[in-house]
Short mmCIF file of all heavy atoms in Angstrom, two decimals:
data_model
loop_
_atom_site.label_atom_id
_atom_site.label_comp_id
_atom_site.label_asym_id
_atom_site.label_seq_id
_atom_site.Cartn_x
_atom_site.Cartn_y
_atom_site.Cartn_z
N TYR H 36 7.36 -1.07 -1.20
CA TYR H 36 6.64 -0.30 -2.20
C TYR H 36 7.16 1.12 -2.15
O TYR H 36 7.72 1.56 -1.15
CB TYR H 36 5.13 -0.31 -1.92
CG TYR H 36 4.48 -1.63 -2.21
CD1 TYR H 36 4.66 -2.72 -1.37
CD2 TYR H 36 3.72 -1.82 -3.36
CE1 TYR H 36 4.10 -3.95 -1.65
CE2 TYR H 36 3.15 -3.04 -3.65
CZ TYR H 36 3.35 -4.10 -2.79
OH TYR H 36 2.80 -5.31 -3.08
N ILE H 89 6.76 -3.07 4.24
CA ILE H 89 5.46 -3.58 4.65
C ILE H 89 5.57 -5.06 4.98
O ILE H 89 6.20 -5.82 4.26
CB ILE H 89 4.43 -3.40 3.52
CG1 ILE H 89 4.32 -1.93 3.11
CG2 ILE H 89 3.07 -3.95 3.91
CD1 ILE H 89 3.66 -1.75 1.76
N LEU H 90 4.94 -5.45 6.06
CA LEU H 90 4.82 -6.88 6.37
C LEU H 90 3.45 -7.34 5.94
O LEU H 90 2.46 -6.70 6.23
CB LEU H 90 4.99 -7.13 7.86
CG LEU H 90 6.30 -6.69 8.50
CD1 LEU H 90 6.31 -7.08 9.97
CD2 LEU H 90 7.48 -7.31 7.77
N ILE H 91 3.42 -8.47 5.25
CA ILE H 91 2.13 -9.04 4.87
C ILE H 91 1.92 -10.28 5.71
O ILE H 91 2.59 -11.30 5.54
CB ILE H 91 2.06 -9.33 3.37
CG1 ILE H 91 2.27 -8.03 2.61
CG2 ILE H 91 0.73 -9.98 3.03
CD1 ILE H 91 1.81 -8.02 1.20
N GLN H 92 0.95 -10.16 6.61
CA GLN H 92 0.66 -11.24 7.54
C GLN H 92 -0.47 -12.09 7.01
O GLN H 92 -1.07 -11.80 6.00
CB GLN H 92 0.30 -10.64 8.90
CG GLN H 92 1.40 -9.74 9.45
CD GLN H 92 1.00 -9.04 10.71
OE1 GLN H 92 -0.16 -8.83 10.97
NE2 GLN H 92 1.99 -8.67 11.51
N ALA H 94 -3.83 -13.76 6.06
CA ALA H 94 -5.09 -13.16 5.63
C ALA H 94 -4.90 -11.76 5.08
O ALA H 94 -5.79 -10.94 5.13
CB ALA H 94 -6.12 -13.14 6.76
N GLN H 95 -3.71 -11.54 4.56
CA GLN H 95 -3.47 -10.32 3.80
C GLN H 95 -3.63 -9.03 4.59
O GLN H 95 -4.04 -8.02 4.07
CB GLN H 95 -4.38 -10.27 2.56
CG GLN H 95 -3.86 -11.12 1.45
CD GLN H 95 -2.72 -10.44 0.72
OE1 GLN H 95 -2.73 -9.25 0.51
NE2 GLN H 95 -1.72 -11.21 0.34
N LYS H 96 -3.33 -9.06 5.85
CA LYS H 96 -3.32 -7.80 6.60
C LYS H 96 -1.98 -7.13 6.32
O LYS H 96 -0.92 -7.68 6.60
CB LYS H 96 -3.46 -8.07 8.09
CG LYS H 96 -3.43 -6.80 8.94
CD LYS H 96 -3.64 -7.14 10.38
CE LYS H 96 -3.48 -5.93 11.27
NZ LYS H 96 -4.47 -4.88 10.97
N LEU H 97 -2.04 -5.96 5.76
CA LEU H 97 -0.84 -5.20 5.45
C LEU H 97 -0.54 -4.22 6.57
O LEU H 97 -1.41 -3.46 6.97
CB LEU H 97 -1.00 -4.44 4.13
CG LEU H 97 -0.63 -5.20 2.86
CD1 LEU H 97 -1.59 -6.33 2.62
CD2 LEU H 97 -0.56 -4.27 1.69
N VAL H 98 0.68 -4.23 7.05
CA VAL H 98 1.09 -3.30 8.10
C VAL H 98 2.12 -2.35 7.49
O VAL H 98 3.23 -2.75 7.18
CB VAL H 98 1.71 -4.05 9.29
CG1 VAL H 98 2.15 -3.06 10.36
CG2 VAL H 98 0.71 -5.05 9.86
N PHE H 99 1.72 -1.11 7.30
CA PHE H 99 2.61 -0.11 6.71
C PHE H 99 3.43 0.58 7.79
O PHE H 99 2.90 0.94 8.83
CB PHE H 99 1.80 0.96 5.97
CG PHE H 99 1.39 0.56 4.60
CD1 PHE H 99 0.32 -0.29 4.39
CD2 PHE H 99 2.06 1.05 3.50
CE1 PHE H 99 -0.07 -0.65 3.11
CE2 PHE H 99 1.67 0.71 2.21
CZ PHE H 99 0.61 -0.14 2.02
N TYR Q 31 -8.14 -11.03 -3.94
CA TYR Q 31 -7.99 -10.17 -2.78
C TYR Q 31 -8.06 -8.70 -3.17
O TYR Q 31 -7.41 -8.26 -4.12
CB TYR Q 31 -6.64 -10.44 -2.11
CG TYR Q 31 -6.34 -9.51 -0.97
CD1 TYR Q 31 -6.87 -9.74 0.28
CD2 TYR Q 31 -5.53 -8.39 -1.16
CE1 TYR Q 31 -6.61 -8.88 1.33
CE2 TYR Q 31 -5.28 -7.52 -0.13
CZ TYR Q 31 -5.81 -7.77 1.12
OH TYR Q 31 -5.56 -6.92 2.15
N SER Q 33 -8.54 -4.56 -1.21
CA SER Q 33 -8.55 -3.85 0.06
C SER Q 33 -8.62 -2.35 -0.16
O SER Q 33 -8.37 -1.86 -1.26
CB SER Q 33 -7.30 -4.20 0.88
OG SER Q 33 -6.12 -3.84 0.16
N TYR Q 35 -7.48 1.48 1.67
CA TYR Q 35 -6.60 2.18 2.60
C TYR Q 35 -6.96 3.66 2.58
O TYR Q 35 -7.43 4.19 1.59
CB TYR Q 35 -5.14 2.05 2.19
CG TYR Q 35 -4.64 0.64 2.17
CD1 TYR Q 35 -4.82 -0.16 1.04
CD2 TYR Q 35 -4.02 0.09 3.27
CE1 TYR Q 35 -4.39 -1.46 1.02
CE2 TYR Q 35 -3.58 -1.22 3.26
CZ TYR Q 35 -3.77 -1.99 2.13
OH TYR Q 35 -3.35 -3.28 2.11
N LEU Q 43 -0.24 4.97 5.48
CA LEU Q 43 -1.40 4.25 4.95
C LEU Q 43 -1.95 3.30 6.01
O LEU Q 43 -1.21 2.55 6.62
CB LEU Q 43 -1.02 3.44 3.72
CG LEU Q 43 -0.87 4.24 2.44
CD1 LEU Q 43 0.59 4.44 2.11
CD2 LEU Q 43 -1.58 3.54 1.29
N GLN Q 45 -5.09 0.45 6.74
CA GLN Q 45 -6.06 -0.42 6.07
C GLN Q 45 -7.45 -0.23 6.67
O GLN Q 45 -7.62 -0.28 7.89
CB GLN Q 45 -5.61 -1.87 6.18
CG GLN Q 45 -6.37 -2.82 5.27
CD GLN Q 45 -5.83 -4.24 5.37
OE1 GLN Q 45 -5.64 -4.77 6.46
NE2 GLN Q 45 -5.56 -4.85 4.23
N ASP Q 59 -7.63 -1.88 10.09
CA ASP Q 59 -7.29 -1.16 11.31
C ASP Q 59 -8.22 0.00 11.63
O ASP Q 59 -8.38 0.37 12.79
CB ASP Q 59 -5.85 -0.62 11.20
CG ASP Q 59 -4.83 -1.72 11.27
OD1 ASP Q 59 -5.07 -2.70 12.00
OD2 ASP Q 59 -3.79 -1.62 10.58
N ALA Q 92 -6.60 -1.50 -3.49
CA ALA Q 92 -5.51 -2.37 -3.93
C ALA Q 92 -6.05 -3.77 -4.17
O ALA Q 92 -7.09 -4.15 -3.62
CB ALA Q 92 -4.39 -2.42 -2.89
N GLN Q 103 0.98 -6.51 -4.64
CA GLN Q 103 -0.23 -5.72 -4.49
C GLN Q 103 -0.25 -4.65 -5.58
O GLN Q 103 0.76 -3.99 -5.82
CB GLN Q 103 -0.24 -5.02 -3.13
CG GLN Q 103 -0.19 -5.93 -1.93
CD GLN Q 103 -1.57 -6.38 -1.50
OE1 GLN Q 103 -2.52 -5.61 -1.56
NE2 GLN Q 103 -1.68 -7.61 -1.06
N PHE Q 105 -1.99 -1.12 -6.66
CA PHE Q 105 -2.75 -0.02 -6.07
C PHE Q 105 -3.39 0.83 -7.16
O PHE Q 105 -2.83 1.03 -8.24
CB PHE Q 105 -1.84 0.87 -5.22
CG PHE Q 105 -1.49 0.27 -3.89
CD1 PHE Q 105 -0.45 -0.65 -3.78
CD2 PHE Q 105 -2.20 0.60 -2.75
CE1 PHE Q 105 -0.12 -1.21 -2.56
CE2 PHE Q 105 -1.88 0.04 -1.51
CZ PHE Q 105 -0.84 -0.86 -1.42
#
Side-chain angles (χ1 to χ4, degrees):
Chain H
Y36 287 74
I89 303 163
L90 301 183
I91 300 199
Q92 302 174 336
Q95 281 282 322
K96 179 177 174 62
L97 273 67
V98 179
F99 278 78
Chain Q
Y31 175 81
S33 60
Y35 299 86
L43 283 103
Q45 193 177 49
D59 290 325
Q103 299 273 323
F105 284 83

